[in-house]
Amino acid sequence: MSHMEQPSERPGDGIDPRGPNVPHFARLFAIWLLATAIVEPVLYFLVWPHIPPGTMTDAARGAQFDALVLTMTAAPVVIAVLEYYLYAMIVWHQKKGEPPEDGPPIWGHVGIQAGWIAITSAIVMGAFVFGTYELINTSGAGGGEGPSPIWTPAATKNMLTVQVIGQQWLWTYRYPQFGGFETPDLILPNHTKIAFHVTSLDVIHDFWAYQLGVKADANPNVDNVAFATTNETGRFTVRCDELCGIWHGAMYNYGYIVSPTAFYKWATSTEKKLAPLTKTLPKFAWTYNPSANGAGGGYYPSTDPFYEVYKYEYGSSGREGNLPAVHIKSFGWKPSQAGAHHVRER
Amino acid sequence: MTATTMELGAGTTGYRPTATRLAHPWFSLNVITAFLGAAAGYGIGHWIGNYIASNYAVVQSTGQNNVAVVLALFFGVLGFIVGIGGLNYPILKMFGYQPEERAPVEDWTKYFRFSTDHKVVGKQYLVGVIGMFFIGGLFAMAIRTELTNPTTHFFAPDIYLQIVSEHGTIMMMMATSLVVGPLGNFLIPLMIGSRRMAFPRLEAISFWIFLCGLMVILTALPLGGFDTGWTGYAPLQTEAAPGMDAYLVGFGTIGTGMILNGFNQIVTIVNYRAPGMRWSRLPIFVWSMLATSFLLTLATPVLFVAGWFGVLDRTAQTAFYVNTHGGSSYLWENLFWFFGHPEVYIMAIPGFGLVGEMLPVFTRKPLFAYRVGAAGMFGVALLSFFVWQHHLFVSGINPDMRPVFMLTTELISIPTGFIYLIGMGTLWRAKIRFTVPMMFCLAMYFNFLIGGITGVYNSDVPVDVTIHGSFFVMAHFHYTIMGGLLFAFFGAVYYYTPLLTGKMLNNTLAKIHFWWMFIAFNFTFFPLFIVGFLGMPRRVFEYAPRLQVLNDWASASAYMLGMSFLVFAVNFVWSVWVDPKPAPANPWQSLGLEWQLPAYKMPWYNFERLPIILSDPYHYGEREALPVAHLQGVLALAGAGAGGGLAPVGAVGPDPGPEISPPRGEAEREDPRPE
Amino acid sequence: MSDVPQLLDREAEEEYEIESTEGGLWTGSRLFVGAVTMAWSAVAFAYFYLRAIDRSGQWDPHHLTPPPVIGTLIALCVLLGAFMLEYGRHQLRRGLHFEWLTAAWLTALFGAIAGGFQIWQLTRLPFYPGEYGYTSVFIGFAPLNVAMILGGAYWAETIAARSIRLRAEVGPDMHLGESEHAAARHLRASLAGCNFYWWFMVLASLLFWILFYVVD
């Protein structure tokens, strides 16, 4: 279709009685400039401080700033598009009472098309570069990075490790640097780097410490690590953010950021207080097996030929430390006679 | 019309009488025998399942025989397909018989039969998707009812989750076929000048399978429902009640229908275009159907296999999604979203296509940058295969890949932007006619703008850490799918009802429907962005009391939104059946080939003579433009849109339409004109 | 507007539509292979993904494998079937109807045997389905493999049956390999697609044979 490239040569062009000489573009640009000039400062000065999730941690602050930048980038785009549509609806519609007629046959405009692609590409690439910078700069932006995180805080010397354990339908927390005691209370010291090691005992949960800007899926058998550095004292909400069964909606509690001294006092006293209980818990590990078989408690073992092996290694109920599979091998298992000849040797 | 031309592809041989043809209509296969077959199949499957598995230890210890449930559902679907006659031809084919191309039954019962006329299938789909949409909508009303209060409950938590899951699954399945099913099947042969779809039996079977999928999903409720949401994450999936089997079998069933439907459409578009219908003349809607169909055909098999693994985990006790036995719950997340993200665009692209098709008609201008628009749809389709992990930004997998998926996800907004480019370019110095379809188009652009921009928030990892899994995401995809696709769809329903039924919908009721739906939609979902940003996760039945005002506002608006569809239903029933108003020929003065047929009641082979396509259908404003096609021995509607003498702006206009000479061979057929 | 092209005459219309159907069978068979490829990709993805992440050494610690002889026979049957179809197509072009038919029936037979072997193999497994990641993937693969192979056998069978009936209807002198009769042309197009699919099956069988029986 060669006619796309030569709009002016189409027959019938210029049948718009208002003519192509009306400076539509200049008008649109002026209105856009004015609206943008009003909206952008409002966003920066009035809206920014109220953007969730607040500034309790560096991750939250990063997310807040990121949301601001995205909003300030998006606002001119939204204004331009909406303004254009409104303008078109007001100016370029078929007037009542006038005989119906057609618009000018404009098939395209190479400059506008190229410009459009260039501008949207530039915005997108800008958003990508900025987002990546923010992601790395805030050590993963508070998101779960899996068992071997690649963006970690620069100095990990005084980092507090908190293990977050999800189960239907409860959050508990273990503090390995304090003897590995387990508690339903999430207390964090202020001005401290925190490493959340999130895991689950049954199905997938999602640890969402809303005001901390931290979110990490709790997968069974996975140690999902997220980082945040606390900035302010106060209370925050913890919710489960991944559908985990019928009481998912009720799976939430609160945590507190307190001064480092108050935290230390709480942690040491709790460690002492819970010491007898901690002894009965499984030894601290990055993940746990509720039964040997993950989900569905009892679903697999019943017909599993290796059930006895698993029971021996992991225990039939309760949580046991996660033993690597090497143990099964060392147990000296021999394949059943029927299938023995199919077993390949290395 | 000679018999040989009608036996398209059949040649002159191969005709054999089938049981359907020989028997009296009342004793031939139809939807009643289909239900009988389904019931029989269900019973047989259940019996086989019990026979196989009732002595399994897991069945005896849990009292839950998933093997029986899965087999019952599978054989139920199979029985339905047998009962409707869907397997007649595949079996006859084994004995060397050739398909028989003949006129379908000409009374109302054709809508309840295995019809291979693409126009009948399109209408069947239309009723099917709208019915499914209303069922899913009732579940949405129930969700909003539960969320009117943060702590007082209307439903028990398990019932609530069943409702949420049913709503999500039904709507997702409905939306994948919402446009491709009814409008794709009905319009594509008419738009490309073909007498048929490439595989009419596959087309018919895809509809009945679609219907089976809906029924299978609904059987989840008596089976105890499923509480995983439409995403069905394992391990919750593995341990869920038997309703989960219905979810997996249902997705497999409807997935099969989706594959067949997309497959058929691609082959039709590629191979059955009329002489002269070059790629550069293809209507933009056909381009969108082509892109969508590629996604349907190539992405859905992955879902099928993922669901198959899930079924095996629950029945054969494999361990695909069981971490401790060498499986991984991440496997489901990867496979599901590898399908799931293309699926989102399966729902978006048809909306783009419809809007692109309607805009030129109501702006009376050519479609701006046609090629860029088509390229945009294919760009979206292609990129959508490479973005799936943006659903898993906080799941703990592949942290190093996050920038990549952030990039691909944000890149997809460039081709999506093309849709705005063609829209805004077409509006430039246009002569907009504010008909109801046009208003829906403009509303689609408004809604999708919000949906698209908020999508960028979701793609940005640091912001996504806060909004992932929250009501923000929920509002985002309702803005894109409901605000985008559904608005375009309803615009198209108003636009194409004359073509489908020969009747005109009431314009006043249509306008009431539009404004009601548009306002209620935005009132419902815009506050939910805020609710999500303020910390409300999805699929919860309890939330922070500080969010109650916004939630109540959304609930009240949702009821209004639900009621707006009653206006549509009343309008449709009234204008099509109760008090029908025959539509004038080509009421919108469209140049599209589908509007140039001599009468709304078309013969089953559509075109008396194969049309010769002369140009693309967007030559508005060109007085000396070629007509769109050489049709029926007359040149079709040379420059129909240009100049005066046209109907006044509005839905109903007593426009006599252009002179149309009666088709040849008139006497050989039944009356092709509307009553 | 005298330069407007005229309508096709009836014969040309018919020819156009026959060509559409031929092209449709070509496109359809390629597209079908594309869809099946995506399904197999999902299986292969499961294989490689579970193998790669291998939580707690549970992918395949004991190197279990389904009976490899049966597995090899399945792949061989598929290969033979594909060769047979290729050979039969060649004979069809030469007009040797009996040879073509024999080859086509043999193809269907090989497909049926391969599918039967695959089912039989499932009853001879030395492992429990959910034992390890490897065993799960194999259990997921095998029934899909049955469906793929029996699908190919069905396709070949319908073409063979069609060619018999077509000659019965048109006359025994019909040269299916060269006839311009619409039904013969469709049959050839369908055969070409079927042939393509069989070679694709060979490729898929080979890939999974390597994955399941060769790779440790």
Side-chain angles (χ1 to χ4, degrees), chain B residues 32-72:
Chain B
I32 298 170
T33 55
F35 275 110
L36 291 176
Y42 190 93
I44 292 169
H46 211 279
W47 181 81
I48 297 176
N50 278 324
Y51 182 79
I52 294 175
S54 56
N55 62 341
Y56 282 13
V58 65
V59 173
Q60 287 180 343
S61 64
T62 59
Q64 174 179 329
N65 189 344
N66 289 308
V67 180
V69 177
V70 167
L71 287 179

Side-chain angles (χ1 to χ4, degrees), chain B residues 233-258:
Chain B
Y233 277 7
L236 197 57
Q237 178 198 77
T238 316
E239 65 183 38
M244 200 70 219
D245 299 327
Y247 164 90
L248 292 168
V249 176
F251 249 142
T253 309
I254 235 163
T256 311
M258 285 156 62

Side-chain angles (χ1 to χ4, degrees), chain B residues 1-2 4-5 8-16 89-91 93-98 195-196 199 259 262-263 266-267 270-276 294 297-299 301-302 304-305 308-309 312 316-320 323-328 330-331 334-335 338 385 388 397 608-612 614 625-627 630-633 635 638 664, chain C residues 1 3-10 12-14 16-29 31-32 34-36 38-43 45-47 49-51 53-56 58-59 105 128-141 143-144 154-155 157-159 161-163 165-166 169-170 181-183 186 190:
Chain B
M1 184 48 128
T2 60
T4 43
T5 325
L8 310 164
T12 50
T13 65
Y15 169 82
R16 293 294 287 201
Y89 173 62
I91 292 168
K93 200 175 175 184
M94 290 184 73
F95 299 96
Y97 293 108
Q98 196 63 351
R195 285 181 169 143
R196 53 177 286 193
F199 299 103
I259 296 170
F263 175 83
I266 293 173
V267 177
V270 171
N271 293 98
Y272 284 77
R273 282 167 293 130
F294 269 111
T297 314
L298 297 181
V302 178
F304 186 90
V305 170
W308 163 245
F309 290 167
L312 284 180
Q317 289 175 278
T318 52
F320 284 101
N323 292 324
T324 39
H325 277 231
S328 170
Y330 286 143
L331 179 61
N334 274 305
L335 290 177
F338 185 82
F385 279 108
W388 80 94
I397 45 175
E608 203 58 52
R609 304 297 305 272
L610 268 191
I612 308 290
L614 303 176
L626 278 178
H630 197 170
L631 189 74
Q632 308 273 6
L635 290 182
R664 279 188 226 162
Chain C
M1 285 189 211
D3 55 338
V4 169
Q6 292 306 300
L7 283 177
L8 304 177
D9 58 33
R10 298 283 183 190
E13 275 190 7
E14 237 180 286
Y16 192 84
E17 286 176 335
I18 293 170
E19 276 170 17
S20 295
T21 309
E22 282 178 331
L25 285 166
W26 190 93
T27 314
S29 58
L31 198 57
F32 178 58
V36 179
M38 290 307 281
W40 281 139
S41 310
V43 178
F45 178 81
Y47 182 97
Y49 189 76
L50 295 183
R51 186 190 171 89
I53 62 169
D54 195 13
R55 294 257 152 69
S56 48
Q58 295 290 293
W59 163 248
W105 287 114
Y128 165 79
E131 218 167 290
Y132 301 114
Y134 170 90
T135 63
S136 296
V137 176
F138 181 78
I139 298 289
F141 157 82
L144 292 178
Y154 168 81
W155 194 348
E157 194 277 342
T158 57
I159 296 172
R162 179 74 195 130
S163 54
R165 191 164 296 279
L166 193 60
E169 285 165 357
V170 177
H181 191 288
H186 294 159
S190 180

